[in-house]
Amino acid sequence: MLEPQLPLNQFYPYICCGLCCGFLIDATTITECLHTFCKSCIVKHFFYSNRCPTCSIVVHQTQPLYNIRPDRQLQDIVYKMIPYLEESEKEQMCNFYKERGLEVPKPAVAVSPPAPAVMRRQKKDNVPPSMFTIPPELDVSLLLEFVGAEDGINDYKPLERRYVRVSGEATVRHVELFIRRKMELSPSCQVDVVCGDHLLDHYQSLKDIQNSVGEDALQDGLLVLHFGLVLPSQS
C-alpha cells in the first residue's frame, strides 16, 4: 500500500515563522514557551517587547535574548521539506556579503565534493558534526510518565513525546509548559510533577533535582518525572 501523502500547506503552522509568515530561517525557540521563529525576526521583536509574539508570556523581564535557543533539528526538517530553500538562503547570504565587499562567513561557502572513502577514514576526526548532533548544553535526559488525571479533567491529548533531552538549567516550570503545550491543556488545569516521593516546585532546576535525588530517580540514565493533572484547590 502507498503511504498517504499530505499537502505541504498542512505543515505551514509548524515550519513557518509567526512574525514574517515565511519559512523558518535559523529557527530559534523561546525556552519559556517553546514557540519558534526566525532568528532575525525574534531578535528584532525583542528590541521593543519582552513578550512572546504568540502567547504573550514574559520571556525575561530585562534580557529576553537570554531565553532563546537555536532549534537545529527543526531547521533541518524545514530544509528537507522545502526544496532549494537552503541553497537559496546560502546564495542570498553570499550575495549580501559580496555586494558590501565583506568576507563571506565560512558556513555559507559551498561544500566541496566528498573525499574518497579511504581519505574519509583517515580524516574522521575532522568531519564536521551532523545537523542532528546534540548540543553539549542539553545534558539532562527526561522520561515523562503520565500517571492520570483527576475526575472532571477530560479534555487533553496524550503526550506522544515522553523522552526529552534538555538543559540541566531548565526548571520544573519549563517541563510543565512543555506538557501543557503538547497535551493542549486548559489554563485551569494544574500539572503536578513528582520525582520519586517528592512533589517538585516550579523553581527547581533539573540538575539540582538529579543531584539531590541521586540514582533512585534514574532509569537507564534517564531522569524519571511522573506528572498528573489536577484541578486547582479552592480555598
Side-chain angles (χ1 to χ4, degrees), residues 6 8 11 14 27 40 84 89 117 142 146 158 162 165 168 170 179-180 209 219:
L6 300 176
L8 183 62
F11 297 94
Y14 310 104
S40 59
Y84 311 116
E89 183 64 21
L142 298 180
F146 180 45
R162 297 168 53 224
R165 192 174 180 102
I179 293 171
R180 286 187 174 279
I209 295 169
Q219 177 181 317

Side-chain angles (χ1 to χ4, degrees), residues 136-170:
E137 63 267 19
L138 303 184
D139 51 2
V140 174
S141 297
L142 298 180
L143 170 57
L144 302 177
E145 293 281 13
F146 180 45
V147 297
E150 188 177 353
D151 290 342
I153 302 177
N154 302 309
D155 187 16
Y156 59 87
K157 290 187 174 181
L159 182 65
E160 298 178 355
R161 186 179 175 186
R162 297 168 53 224
Y163 299 93
V164 187
R165 192 174 180 102
V166 297
S167 167
E169 300 301 320

Side-chain angles (χ1 to χ4, degrees), residues 17-131:
C17 173
L19 289 171
C20 68
C21 298
F23 295 120
L24 289 168
I25 299 296
D26 288 336
T28 301
T29 297
I30 298 174
T31 59
E32 294 296 304
C33 59
L34 304 180
H35 290 126
T36 305
F37 308 89
C38 299
K39 181 178 180 179
S40 59
C41 293
I42 193 62
V43 169
K44 292 176 183 176
H45 172 81
F46 284 151
F47 284 165
Y48 58 85
S49 174
N50 64 350
R51 293 181 177 271
C52 169
T54 299
C55 65
S56 296
I57 188 174
V58 175
V59 178
H60 192 282
Q61 290 292 347
T62 57
Q63 298 291 341
L65 294 178
Y66 286 171
N67 289 342
I68 59 176
R69 298 290 184 274
D71 196 329
R72 298 178 180 88
Q73 293 186 5
L74 178 55
Q75 188 60 61
D76 192 52
I77 291 172
V78 174
Y79 282 152
K80 289 182 182 297
M81 294 183 67
I82 311 300
Y84 311 116
L85 177 63
E86 184 175 14
E87 291 79 1
S88 174
E89 183 64 21
K90 288 182 178 180
E91 183 179 356
Q92 291 183 38
M93 184 181 298
C94 288
N95 293 336
F96 176 86
Y97 283 96
K98 289 178 179 178
E99 289 172 359
R100 289 159 178 77
L102 302 174
E103 182 181 356
V104 179
K106 290 183 179 180
V109 177
V111 179
S112 59
V118 175
M119 294 296 293
R120 286 203 300 269
R121 294 194 193 99
Q122 294 175 350
K123 299 182 179 181
K124 184 176 181 180
D125 295 338
N126 297 327
V127 176
S130 165
M131 185 76 72

